[in-house]
Amino acid sequence: DTAVSQTPKYLVTQMGNDKSIKCEQNLGHDTMYWYKQDSKKFLKIMFSYNNKELIINETVPNRFSPKSPDKAHLNLHINSLELGDSAVYFCASSQVPGASTGELFFGEGSRLTVL
Amino acid sequence: SQQGEEDPQALSIQEGENATMNCSYKTSINNLQWYRQNSGRGLVHLILIRSNEREKHSGRLRVTLDTSKKSSSLLITASRAADTASYFCATERVFGAGTILRVKS
């Protein structure tokens, strides 16, 4: 069984569209994250949720809205997509929130291409 | 926010050689972690070293931490072609840009 799964794996869309990426973890973790990896492989944290509550919200345009229906799911919705949103988005989970006292478990990534 | 910076950006070695990657960070930490990312895949946790530890081993991996210099190193001994990947250090959930390691067989 895949521990952290995200869908879709690939997403190609036009500028201005709205899209969502879904993430689910079956590890029983309380904390989930969204990271963005750009073309230079730099990985930047976007959001973190602990037990459905937002705990980290980095400087991200408000076109990005995370939603956590329960602690096993953290979805990312992006409105009015821009060219600069093209990247690979990674979902991750951990047992411990906040400071990195435990390892992160990553999904396989969702490659978003905005044309 | 603090950020790990890996050095070198890219490293190419022959199978069997050792590979050393370095990471520097800016502020105090609770621990530092190293991750590996194979091409097109998610990151996989390799090792965690706490701020009160100086060295840690896991199989062919050896990690050192120098909190006075705010730096860490990852040594992979007797490298294999399968070690080809990008390696990232992370502090407080913040990742550096990574070192691309290529091991030639």
Side-chain angles (χ1 to χ4, degrees):
Chain A
D1 279 347
T2 304
V4 181
S5 59
Q6 49 183 113
T7 56
K9 191 171 174 66
Y10 299 98
L11 190 52
V12 181
T13 188
Q14 299 287 331
M15 259 195 324
N17 285 350
D18 304 338
K19 290 294 177 186
S20 292
I21 306 171
K22 295 185 176 180
C23 179
E24 176 182 3
Q25 54 95 4
N26 62 6
L27 297 166
H29 290 166
D30 284 344
T31 309
M32 296 184 71
Y33 311 80
W34 277 109
Y35 280 85
K36 178 182 180 181
Q37 187 172 43
D38 62 24
S39 57
K40 296 182 179 178
K41 303 298 184 186
F42 184 64
L43 200 65
K44 184 174 180 180
I45 190 168
M46 300 174 69
F47 301 102
S48 173
Y49 270 72
N50 182 53
N51 204 7
K52 302 193 298 176
E53 183 179 334
L54 181 66
I55 57 172
I56 294 176
N57 184 354
E58 291 294 313
T59 308
V60 176
N62 57 16
R63 298 181 296 103
F64 290 78
S65 52
K67 284 189 171 52
S68 182
D70 55 61
K71 72 175 192 177
H73 295 83
L74 181 61
N75 304 323
L76 182 65
H77 188 75
I78 315 170
N79 290 325
S80 304
L81 279 157
E82 301 178 356
L83 293 176
D85 297 333
S86 295
V88 181
Y89 292 84
F90 285 97
C91 177
S93 73
S94 70
Q95 206 163 17
V96 182
S100 57
T101 53
E103 67 180 275
L104 290 168
F105 292 79
F106 281 84
E108 292 291 280
S110 295
R111 180 175 293 276
L112 171 65
T113 302
V114 182
L115 303 175
Chain B
S1 60
Q2 60 189 337
Q3 174 179 328
E5 296 181 1
E6 288 85 350
D7 163 48
Q9 290 186 328
L11 183 59
S12 184
I13 59 174
Q14 288 294 134
E15 207 166 26
E17 293 180 338
N18 295 342
T20 299
M21 289 160 272
N22 303 299
C23 167
S24 61
Y25 56 92
K26 295 176 182 175
T27 63
S28 61
I29 59 172
N30 292 308
N31 63 61
L32 184 143
Q33 301 180 43
W34 284 91
Y35 288 79
R36 182 186 74 221
Q37 183 181 32
N38 286 54
S39 180
R41 306 297 297 274
L43 281 77
V44 174
H45 183 264
L46 293 176
I47 196 165
L48 180 153
I49 185 165
R50 301 192 188 285
S51 59
N52 61 354
E53 297 175 312
R54 291 295 167 259
E55 188 170 311
K56 200 162 183 180
H57 297 252
S58 176
R60 293 184 295 111
L61 306 180
R62 182 173 79 103
V63 168
T64 63
L65 180 64
D66 187 335
T67 53
S68 66
K69 295 181 180 177
K70 292 187 169 57
S71 67
S72 173
S73 68
L74 171 67
L75 168 68
I76 303 175
T77 59
S79 63
R80 305 166 183 169
D83 295 329
T84 295
S86 294
Y87 292 83
F88 296 85
C89 69
T91 58
E92 309 303 324
R93 303 291 187 229
V94 178
F95 287 77
T99 293
I100 300 171
L101 173 65
R102 182 184 170 211
V103 181
K104 295 177 283 187
S105 54

